[in-house]
Amino acid sequence: MISKRVQNMSPSQTLELNSKIAKLRQEGQSIIALNSGEPDFNTPPPIIEAAHQAMLSGKTKYTQTPGIPELRDAIARKFRRDNQLIYSADEIIVSTGAKYALTNTFMALCDPGDEVIIPTPCWVSYVEMVKLAGAIPVLVPVHPDNQLDMEAIEQAITARTKILLLNSPNNPTGAVYPKKSLARAAELALAHDFYIVSDEVYEKLIYGSTPHISVASFSEAIKARCITINALSKAYAMTGWRIGYAAGPRDVIKAMSAIQGHTTSNATSFVQWASVTALDGCDDYVETMRQAFEARRDYLYERVSKFPGFRCPLPDGAFYLFPDVSDLFGRKSNNRTIDGASALAEYLLEEAGVALVPGNAFEAPRAIRMTYSNSMENLVEAMDRIERAILQLA
Ligand SMILES: Cc1ncc(COP(=O)(O)O)c(C=O)c1O
């Protein structure tokens, strides 16, 4: 019998969608995939070269569990340079992607029954990770403009609140949270004695005037209550390399290291060496990708805002648009009724050949997520196809 812990998990809607796409492609259908959460660019060549050299020079053995000191030092330099945060190497742990850094954080901090406040819409894995750690996800919707509802967050705080989870720039909305909201979150954490886990994996992908701010940088007091999560996955087009990290109070990082030592051990040795090269010398590549994403965001936003029944604020970061499509609910095409975001995603996949992710996956069933991490040519074709399909709805 499979454990209750696993039985309690929701199936991954993104994985189910991928097998559907594969099946349709096998049947010969042309599918433009705007569902994935990763850059379409290749990893910058100097990073690949550094990994190759590390392998050739025998850097293929176990490393220290929290990561090689050279990488933790490079991460500390990055925090100082980009986030005005001073961390030493023993306040940093390198993990197998941000995903494991986050899982590890919840395992290290949560006891059964502890509550984790998660503003929604939110990334698919948060709720499951929190449940796996035995804690209780407390979902708090954001405002219609996708900005944090600080009053609702305050009302959700109880004596069991252990963590407030923030993700800016946000997946799936693309929202970037301004200083005022982050400062209020910090005040609440200090007043009610809980931690803030700040997932900053899209930090480098910002297009608007709101700058990225690490909430830990406000004061020494809040830094002692923050675990900042980041990764090389999105910024450096390194999703498959599986490299992420966390920085926080020494005791928390030590606990995470103990868990990691008994579960995954270190992140891949030569990937760690390549990551030093990425963090220290690949800003130009990151900026080139950011500019390409910005041009695509502008194009997609212009098209999508003209589609009947699609409503969304201009996203300031990440590489997603997350329009509310609830005005289309109840519309029909032949025998099919669009009775929700999943039905719309299914319709667009089967009739238009464009894969999008229904908002249900992100605790937001009135919306649908489209990724602009695809070539401009594919985006133009995908928008034409969606527009035709929407106009056919009666
Ligand atoms: C908000 C957010 N956090 C974390 C992750 C996981 O990143 P990684 O691939 O480094 O594990 C993702 C990936 O989609 C994400 O969107």
Side-chain angles (χ1 to χ4, degrees):
M1 188 67 171
I2 301 299
S3 72
K4 291 206 174 51
R5 193 186 311 112
V6 175
Q7 287 182 41
N8 205 11
M9 271 169 75
S10 313
S12 162
Q13 300 199 31
T14 33
L15 287 184
E16 277 174 24
L17 183 62
N18 281 338
S19 41
K20 219 173 199 173
I21 296 170
K23 186 167 167 280
L24 288 170
R25 281 184 172 149
Q26 251 171 18
E27 289 166 8
Q29 277 215 43
S30 141
I31 306 291
I32 302 177
L34 302 190
N35 59 306
S36 86
E38 60 183 344
D40 54 318
F41 300 105
N42 286 334
T43 303
I47 303 174
I48 296 175
E49 182 55 30
H52 190 203
Q53 286 307 323
M55 278 186 262
L56 289 174
S57 62
K59 296 192 165 96
T60 51
K61 312 275 196 249
Y62 291 133
T63 72
Q64 291 180 24
T65 296
I68 55 173
E70 290 81 353
L71 178 54
R72 283 183 285 148
D73 287 345
I75 292 168
R77 286 194 290 280
K78 176 254 173 277
F79 273 122
R80 195 170 315 141
R81 194 172 60 229
D82 296 347
N83 313 105
Q84 296 75 54
L85 276 167
I86 308 297
Y87 283 112
S88 56
D90 59 352
E91 295 171 300
I92 292 168
I93 182 168
V94 177
S95 291
T96 308
K99 206 172 227 178
Y100 191 67
L102 282 158
T103 307
N104 201 345
T105 305
F106 298 126
M107 297 298 262
L109 290 179
C110 294
D111 280 315
D114 282 348
E115 295 173 1
V116 178
I117 297 178
I118 309 176
T120 59
C122 65
W123 177 51
V124 285
S125 296
Y126 292 147
V127 168
E128 302 309 324
M129 286 172 173
V130 167
K131 287 190 328 202
L132 276 175
I136 302 168
V138 177
L139 307 183
V140 179
V142 296
H143 286 302
D145 64 357
N146 291 330
Q147 288 297 331
L148 292 174
D149 182 342
M150 292 314 302
E151 278 174 26
I153 288 175
E154 188 170 359
Q155 276 165 21
I157 296 169
T158 72
R160 295 306 307 259
T161 302
K162 191 66 185 272
I163 296 172
L164 167 63
L165 176 52
L166 297 178
N167 170 216
S168 177
N170 186 269
N171 175 9
T173 67
V176 178
Y177 301 146
K179 187 171 181 180
K180 192 168 166 232
S181 307
L182 297 173
R184 180 72 189 132
E187 269 172 26
L188 291 174
L190 292 175
H192 297 272
D193 197 25
F194 57 77
Y195 287 93
I196 291 181
V197 174
S198 181
D199 178 349
E200 305 183 3
V201 297
Y202 294 98
E203 168 194 17
K204 298 281 180 185
L205 300 175
I206 296 231
Y207 320 111
S209 55
T210 310
H212 171 77
I213 299 173
S214 284
V215 64
S217 67
F218 287 131
S219 67
E220 279 305 311
I222 191 61
K223 182 167 168 250
R225 303 301 277 163
C226 276
I227 294 86
T228 303
I229 307 289
N230 213 322
L232 284 85
S233 310
K234 315 287 180 178
Y236 298 89
M238 288 176 71
T239 45
W241 298 63
R242 312 307 303 129
I243 189 94
Y245 53 92
R250 234 168 242 116
D251 60 333
V252 179
I253 297 300
K254 195 170 163 204
M256 290 170 70
S257 193
I259 298 169
Q260 186 159 295
H262 286 300
T263 51
T264 61
S265 295
N266 57 272
T268 305
S269 55
F270 46 85
V271 171
Q272 293 190 54
W273 285 102
S275 299
V276 175
T277 299
L279 289 173
D280 278 346
C282 288
D283 283 4
D284 291 356
Y285 291 93
V286 174
E287 178 55 16
T288 304
M289 291 188 270
R290 193 202 64 77
Q291 285 176 16
F293 282 130
E294 182 167 1
R296 295 162 178 190
R297 175 202 69 154
D298 291 348
Y299 172 74
L300 224 66
Y301 179 73
E302 199 200 324
R303 290 293 304 270
V304 166
S305 355
K306 289 187 189 131
F307 292 169
F310 280 58
R311 280 179 284 133
C312 80
L314 177 68
D316 274 343
F319 38 62
Y320 310 105
L321 242 64
F322 197 59
D324 183 312
V325 287
S326 58
D327 285 353
L328 296 174
F329 296 172
R331 305 278 289 275
K332 290 192 171 57
S333 162
N334 299 327
N335 291 333
R336 194 198 288 265
T337 302
I338 306 298
D339 58 8
S342 296
L344 181 65
E346 208 170 283
Y347 169 67
L348 292 175
L349 179 62
E350 289 166 13
E351 300 299 322
V354 182
L356 308 177
V357 188
N360 315 51
F362 310 100
E363 311 291 340
R366 298 165 72 81
I368 201 159
R369 190 188 78 175
M370 49 179 84
T371 306
Y372 45 88
S373 177
N374 210 317
S375 69
M376 196 56 117
E377 192 188 351
N378 279 344
L379 292 178
V380 172
E381 172 65 18
M383 291 308 105
D384 291 347
R385 288 184 188 189
I386 293 177
E387 190 167 37
R388 276 197 299 272
I390 296 298
L391 291 174
Q392 273 168 29
L393 291 174

